[in-house]
Amino acid sequence: MGPNSSLGNITNLPLSDPKCNSDACLAFKAGHLASQAQISWASQFLYGHYITWYYLAIIFLAMLVYAHKLVQSRRLVSVPSNGTSVLNKALAFVRLISYRRIHGRLANIIGLPSLGMLLFVLITCLFLLLLAFIQRPYYRLHRGFGSPPLAVRTGLMAIALTPIIVALAGKVNFITILTGISHEKLNVLHRYASYMCLFLSIVHTVPFIVAPLKDGGLKQLHKQYYKKGGLEFTGTPPLGILVGLCVFSIPWIRHKSYSFFYRLHIPLYVTYLGLIFWHATQELDSWAYLWATLAIYLASITSRAFVKCQSFNVLRPWFQGYSAHLTPLSGDMTRVDVIVSTDFKWKAGQHCWLRFPHLSILHNHPFTIASLPKRAFSNTEKAYDDQTLRFYIRSYRGLTKALAVSTEKSDQALDRAYTIHVDGPYGGLIADLSSRYDQLIFVAGGGGISACLPLMLQAAIKISQGTASTNSIHLIWMVREEMHTEWAREELKTVISLTEGKLCEFNFFVTDSSPAKSSLRASGAVVPSAREIQASTAASTALGIGQLHYQRPFLLHFLPGMITGRRVMIFGKSSKD
């Protein structure tokens, strides 16, 4: 027999013969070519393009909406004296549906967003499902004919999601710049996009397990997994990391182990990105998505480090924080007044991340700004002295608890200056509420008043200047103790003075205090501290700026009676938001 006799036998074997397993066998080669002609390997890479065009189209539509809002925010809205247009009724109905939230234990555990956001997520999931499963067949007749089409396209779809996942996560990102949507809202989409990526990655993995099992069982699976140049082995580590990232990002689990999640989330994702480079092996344009992801990430962290983070701002001296005064208040509340430079700009509704070196070098925490810049109180652009960033921080656990304890320990806390590092500002509202609505109603619980105060002050300033559509400001503030109403007394008095008190109605609801409790204090059953007596005495004068109620308000009954305008904004903030 000649040296090519064996090869000749393989060449003419039928496809059903186990030895006919390469293109050297004519039947195998014919089947291979037919399978690739039916669904080519390269055509599956187009599915990554479809994903990219989808989210770019969504961003473009959001840009158009943002541009429309910017144009509207520059002009006052005339409120019709009677009648409501069909368009306004339609918008009100859409808001009624989209703003509503699903409540319940399961919804809280998995962190369900508003119905509007949930509907958008479901539409996106449907789009992904159609892309993944509408084309058949999912598998090839033999693994040797090529990778399963279902596995290839879902893998590329998962990789195509990586740039948008990182873009949605950054506090400084191009999506916020283009659409005006603040990072804390985009972060919800970041989480769901990650879940979608995990789903696609699992669908990508399963065919690579099933296909070799169909060909030759566990032995063939083991051979294919450890095959030289095979991608099954390199895909396992990034899949494991992605599972961990998504599991720990579930709201209930994240809240239980936030410190662990915070420390490992970014390092794990950077590792994941590096492993995906290894797994994709630069097949066609697969690395283009990964280079885009890396560019977005580096641009985000660089902008945050040298623009938003004031300690490394390119326009300021490095490693120098701002001087701050900490004032302990009743109810485990601390007021933080940060003295910032005149060129530090912020607007109502924004927040900053604060780092307290005397408590922790590395830890920081986001807090809503409760004050306005000095230039907001004047039409002139003259230079001012240093201005104050004010924060009201409620003590819960971790950093906020340590802050309250450290402030309480020092008898000289009111006079001692601390150094605080500021990262921000971030977020904020697009529209000026005072130019869009004729009635503003603010609902706050406890420390949530800090988010309402700057918006109320801004509206009062515009009213005093005659540049507002708003003709009334209402506040519903729920606190546990009567003395807590003293927290924001200074700012509320400013609102009244700016509007001359004619347009303001403040209602304070004390939820844990009652006349019966007051009688217990008087009888000696409950002995208040000196600070509580002083704060309670001061708080009782709050009746001069509003009405004090010893009850918990049922808002569904209380709010309708307050609504008198035709364009009404109800802004709510709880102490835990």
Side-chain angles (χ1 to χ4, degrees):
M1 296 177 63
N4 294 327
S5 60
S6 177
L7 181 60
N9 292 336
I10 294 176
T11 301
N12 296 312
L13 287 175
L15 186 61
S16 58
D17 193 305
K19 295 181 180 178
C20 185
N21 55 13
S22 68
D23 283 354
C25 177
L26 293 179
F28 187 94
K29 183 177 182 180
H32 185 185
L33 293 175
S35 179
Q36 289 295 324
Q38 182 183 22
I39 301 178
S40 69
W41 173 77
S43 68
Q44 302 304 289
F45 282 72
L46 293 175
Y47 286 83
H49 300 179
Y50 301 150
I51 295 293
T52 303
W53 283 114
Y54 175 79
Y55 61 69
L56 287 179
I58 296 298
I59 292 173
F60 178 73
L61 292 176
M63 287 173 57
L64 295 180
V65 174
Y66 180 43
H68 175 68
K69 289 182 177 179
L70 287 178
V71 172
Q72 281 192 326
S73 66
R74 296 181 181 276
R75 60 184 181 88
L76 292 178
V77 175
S78 58
V79 181
S81 57
N82 51 42
T84 303
S85 68
V86 176
L87 177 60
N88 286 338
K89 289 182 178 179
L91 288 175
F93 178 76
V94 171
R95 288 169 179 165
L96 174 68
I97 301 299
S98 62
Y99 291 174
R100 191 174 295 275
R101 302 187 71 91
I102 300 175
H103 298 283
R105 185 176 181 182
L106 179 61
N108 294 333
I109 290 176
I110 63 179
L112 285 181
S114 64
L115 283 178
M117 182 70 76
L118 185 60
L119 179 61
F120 172 71
V121 169
L122 291 177
I123 291 173
T124 303
C125 289
L126 178 61
F127 174 73
L128 295 178
L129 288 173
L130 290 175
L131 278 185
F133 295 104
I134 200 169
Q135 187 183 41
R136 291 174 177 269
Y138 301 150
Y139 294 88
R140 302 189 187 276
L141 185 60
H142 288 285
R143 176 66 177 87
F145 289 173
S147 300
L150 177 64
V152 177
R153 62 173 171 266
T154 51
L156 267 296
M157 290 165 66
I159 290 179
L161 282 174
T162 54
I164 196 66
I165 289 174
V166 172
L168 291 169
K171 292 181 177 60
V172 180
N173 61 68
F174 73 92
I175 298 180
T176 297
I177 296 172
L178 295 176
T179 66
I181 303 174
S182 60
H183 75 87
E184 66 271 17
K185 294 180 181 178
L186 293 176
N187 201 260
V188 177
L189 292 176
H190 161 73
R191 177 158 48 90
Y192 280 97
S194 300
Y195 297 158
M196 295 173 196
C197 183
L198 175 60
F199 171 77
L200 291 171
S201 298
I202 293 174
V203 176
H204 165 71
T205 302
V206 170
F208 282 117
I209 298 174
V210 173
L213 285 176
K214 290 171 60 178
D215 282 353
L218 290 175
K219 183 177 180 181
Q220 183 62 31
L221 175 62
H222 183 273
K223 180 181 178 181
Q224 182 67 35
Y225 186 81
Y226 291 103
K227 174 184 175 183
K228 184 178 181 181
L231 302 181
E232 287 84 353
F233 178 80
T234 61
T236 303
L239 178 62
I241 291 177
L242 185 59
V243 170
L245 287 169
C246 290
V247 168
F248 278 102
S249 68
I250 297 173
W252 183 80
I253 298 177
R254 185 177 71 242
H255 293 157
K256 292 292 184 181
S257 56
Y258 182 77
S259 181
F260 176 82
F261 170 83
Y262 177 79
R263 286 184 173 91
L264 291 184
H265 190 72
I266 294 179
L268 280 178
Y269 192 82
V270 171
T271 304
Y272 166 81
L273 183 60
L275 290 173
I276 289 296
F277 270 103
W278 178 39
H279 176 57
T281 63
Q282 208 171 358
E283 297 284 2
L284 295 185
D285 60 356
S286 59
W287 273 18
Y289 306 104
L290 304 181
W291 286 121
T293 302
L294 187 60
I296 292 170
Y297 176 68
L298 293 177
S300 176
I301 62 173
T302 302
S303 300
R304 183 182 179 186
F306 299 111
V307 177
K308 286 293 186 178
C309 184
Q310 304 303 315
S311 301
F312 299 96
N313 191 294
V314 293
L315 301 178
R316 310 184 194 284
W318 282 16
F319 306 110
Q320 294 185 13
Y322 289 118
S323 177
H325 294 274
L326 311 182
T327 305
L329 302 175
S330 58
D332 293 328
M333 181 72 75
T334 303
R335 188 180 72 209
V336 178
D337 292 324
V338 184
I339 311 303
V340 297
S341 54
T342 56
D343 60 344
F344 186 91
K345 298 180 180 179
W346 75 95
K347 59 183 180 180
Q350 291 191 301
H351 64 274
C352 292
W353 291 72
L354 302 184
R355 181 160 56 88
F356 303 87
H358 68 284
L359 299 177
S360 174
I361 298 296
L362 299 178
H363 289 182
N364 57 13
H365 200 286
F367 301 104
T368 303
I369 304 172
S371 59
L372 287 178
K374 284 188 176 181
R375 61 175 56 88
F377 292 86
S378 174
N379 290 322
T380 63
E381 292 295 329
K382 67 178 183 179
Y384 293 98
D385 295 332
D386 291 340
Q387 48 191 349
T388 301
L389 273 174
R390 175 163 291 182
F391 303 89
Y392 291 98
I393 300 176
R394 184 69 178 271
S395 171
Y396 288 105
R397 59 181 181 271
L399 182 65
T400 58
K401 184 67 175 179
L403 177 66
V405 171
S406 68
T407 306
E408 287 281 359
K409 283 183 178 179
S410 177
D411 294 334
Q412 293 79 29
L414 292 174
D415 300 322
R416 178 180 172 184
Y418 294 82
T419 297
I420 292 180
H421 295 266
V422 178
D423 178 9
Y426 298 102
L429 302 179
I430 298 173
D432 177 7
L433 299 183
S434 64
S435 67
R436 305 293 305 159
Y437 304 96
D438 61 326
Q439 185 180 16
L440 300 177
I441 300 177
F442 296 90
V443 182
I449 189 66
S450 60
C452 300
L453 289 176
L455 296 171
M456 295 173 65
L457 285 168
Q458 184 180 60
I461 292 170
K462 294 296 181 66
I463 291 172
S464 67
Q465 295 172 349
T467 59
S469 295
T470 301
N471 52 41
S472 64
I473 300 175
H474 296 259
L475 171 65
I476 301 173
W477 187 16
M478 292 156 281
V479 294
R480 290 187 178 181
E481 301 284 348
E482 182 180 339
M483 66 188 72
H484 298 173
T485 58
E486 185 66 14
W487 293 346
R489 178 175 171 79
E490 179 183 333
E491 290 86 350
L492 294 178
K493 286 180 65 178
T494 302
V495 172
I496 290 178
S497 64
L498 288 169
T499 60
E500 299 180 353
K502 300 175 183 178
L503 309 175
C504 297
E505 182 180 332
F506 299 156
N507 286 275
F508 308 99
F509 289 86
V510 181
T511 58
D512 284 355
S513 294
S514 63
K517 186 172 180 178
S518 298
S519 64
L520 286 175
R521 287 179 177 270
S523 65
V526 179
V527 182
S529 66
R531 173 194 276 184
E532 290 178 323
I533 294 174
Q534 182 181 5
S536 181
T537 302
S540 64
T541 61
L543 292 173
I545 60 173
Q547 300 180 25
L548 194 61
H549 311 270
Y550 292 98
Q551 66 184 79
R552 185 180 296 275
F554 185 55
L555 296 179
L556 289 179
H557 290 166
F558 193 79
L559 281 174
M562 298 181 63
I563 298 176
T564 58
R566 303 199 64 83
R567 293 181 62 90
V568 182
M569 164 61 79
I570 300 177
F571 183 92
K573 191 72 171 179
S574 72
S575 59
K576 293 186 179 182
D577 285 349

